[in-house]
Amino acid sequence: MNMIINGKTRVCAIIGDPVEHSLSPVMHNAAFKELGLNVVYVAFNVTRNGLEDAISGARSLGLLGLNVTMPHKSAVINYLDETDSAAKAIGAVNTILNERGKLTGYNTDGKGAMIALQENGVDPDETKLVILGAGGAAKAIAFQAAQEVDELVILNRTPQKAEQLAELLNKQFGNKVKGTTLSAEVLKKELETADILVNATSVGMNPDVNSSPVPANLLTSDLCVMDIVYNPLETQLMKDAKSVGAKAVSGLEMLLYQGAVAFEIWTNCPAPVDVMKDAALNKLAEQGVRP
Ligand SMILES: NC(=O)c1ccc[n+]([C@@H]2O[C@H](COP(=O)([O-])OP(=O)(O)OC[C@H]3O[C@@H](n4cnc5c(N)ncnc54)[C@H](OP(=O)(O)O)[C@@H]3O)[C@@H](O)[C@H]2O)c1
């Protein structure tokens, strides 16, 4: 169906700096088109100094919704009317809904990651999940995982950040979260009893494509491994996981489902995830990233 832009067309956008390589415009435009919704999605490069004006512009122009990416995920909270519990706890917003000038901030990264696991046949209920990293993405995933798993272990190169995150989550969700240092020794011990391993560090990301945060000999076939890095689409960690017969879930799945959750917040319609995934894969291929 051809898209006709007219007087009733609503606008969604991603704001960040930089934004030109974002996969969100193609993913969401494909979804709006698939469902025949009169909405377009564009990217706006917004500098730190321009953030407050951009948000007030979104409000007065009646934008339907926004995605927010680096470096604005935390600062944007100051300009919103409300934030949901995940965004508040994490201190970061990646999705905004505009309801007649009232802006509500959400964080869909954690839900996106956990839905990605489920959609790939991994039920997090009654499992032990080990997450590597304590940065922005790890925080969002840990916040959601703490509500779904039995035991959560956060391992980070800078252990203090993992400890602080564990303390925050234990206060909210009971004492099931441990935060400590990311080392081969700790990994060996924790992975012996783990069901799910999530890499939320940037280790393995292009151009560092031969690196993995986990020594290959610590991976076993009964582990499910999700690497949230999606460039390359198959990281060294995923290659190692597959070679021992473990289930491997790619970062593209998380990207897809965080987008699907945002789409549903804006439209109240189930997201056409297959169409969104094809659009994202085509865009990545254009950027030279191929399965
Ligand atoms: N698939 C998706 O939808 C999705 C969404 C968001 C992000 N991502 C990807 O996830 C990765 C992390 O993003 P982020 O926003 O969370 O970044 P971030 O806030 O900068 O955090 C980076 C994390 O990686 C760790 N790290 C960096 N280099 C390391 C190394 N050499 N050894 C061990 N740990 C290292 C950092 O540890 P320290 O604390 O010790 O520095 C920190 O925990 C990026 O590759 C990003 O592209 C994917």
Side-chain angles (χ1 to χ4, degrees):
M1 187 191 310
N2 279 330
M3 166 104 214
I4 297 168
I5 295 177
N6 58 24
K8 290 184 177 169
T9 304
R10 301 293 306 273
V11 177
C12 283
I14 182 165
I15 57 169
D17 186 14
V19 278
E20 63 266 33
H21 296 298
S22 169
L23 301 178
S24 296
V26 292
M27 234 168 45
H28 286 293
N29 282 319
F32 292 135
K33 190 173 166 193
E34 174 71 13
L35 298 193
L37 300 175
N38 193 355
V39 186
V40 292
Y41 188 113
V42 292
F44 291 127
N45 196 301
V46 172
T47 61
R48 278 178 199 272
N49 289 341
L51 181 61
E52 184 171 6
D53 285 349
I55 295 300
S56 103
R59 195 183 265 114
S60 30
L61 293 171
L63 266 55
L64 172 60
L66 290 172
N67 278 136
V68 184
T69 187
M70 301 304 284
H72 304 314
K73 284 183 168 190
S74 298
V76 78
I77 292 179
N78 298 319
Y79 310 119
L80 304 179
D81 302 298
E82 269 179 27
T83 42
D84 80 337
S85 58
K88 209 172 276 166
I90 301 157
V93 158
N94 76 340
T95 300
I96 298 170
L97 173 67
N98 180 12
E99 293 166 296
R100 297 172 195 274
K102 182 182 150 222
L103 301 185
T104 305
Y106 300 84
N107 193 307
T108 68
D109 277 338
K111 278 204 178 110
M114 298 310 282
I115 296 172
L117 285 172
Q118 260 157 358
E119 290 292 327
N120 283 277
V122 185
D123 183 359
D125 196 31
E126 295 183 2
T127 59
K128 171 178 172 181
L129 187 149
V130 175
I131 182 162
L132 314 181
K139 248 185 179 174
I141 299 168
F143 181 83
Q144 189 64 31
Q147 299 170 64
E148 299 189 23
V149 301
D150 268 6
E151 194 184 342
L152 176 64
V153 177
I154 303 163
L155 304 181
N156 195 45
R157 177 178 61 178
T158 311
Q160 293 81 355
K161 280 165 69 181
E163 288 159 15
Q164 277 165 14
L165 180 54
E167 200 182 315
L168 175 95
L169 296 175
N170 277 329
K171 273 190 200 140
Q172 290 211 31
F173 304 116
N175 279 328
K176 55 164 138 170
V177 189
K178 181 164 80 183
T180 184
T181 191
L182 172 57
S183 70
E185 202 184 1
V186 176
L187 267 173
K188 183 175 184 322
K189 183 170 156 276
E190 296 297 345
L191 290 184
E192 269 167 16
T193 50
D195 304 291
I196 304 170
L197 168 70
V198 176
N199 174 39
T201 73
S202 44
V203 178
M205 190 167 82
N206 193 24
D208 185 26
V209 294
N210 297 319
S211 299
S212 166
V214 183
N217 63 350
L218 299 184
L219 300 169
T220 52
S221 61
D222 49 3
L223 201 59
C224 165
V225 180
M226 179 160 83
D227 196 337
I228 77 160
V229 171
Y230 58 86
N231 180 4
L233 277 168
E234 189 171 80
T235 59
Q236 186 61 47
L237 173 62
M238 285 184 64
K239 283 182 191 157
D240 294 343
K242 283 182 182 171
S243 75
V244 296
K247 188 183 257 297
V249 181
S250 92
L252 182 68
E253 298 287 307
M254 168 175 163
L255 183 88
L256 178 64
Y257 286 102
Q258 66 73 32
V261 176
F263 184 89
E264 289 167 18
I265 288 170
W266 297 324
T267 65
N268 271 321
C269 298
V273 283
D274 292 343
V275 168
M276 293 169 82
K277 188 173 184 173
D278 284 348
L281 280 169
N282 287 339
K283 183 72 191 171
L284 280 168
E286 263 176 39
Q287 295 171 358
V289 184
R290 291 194 170 78

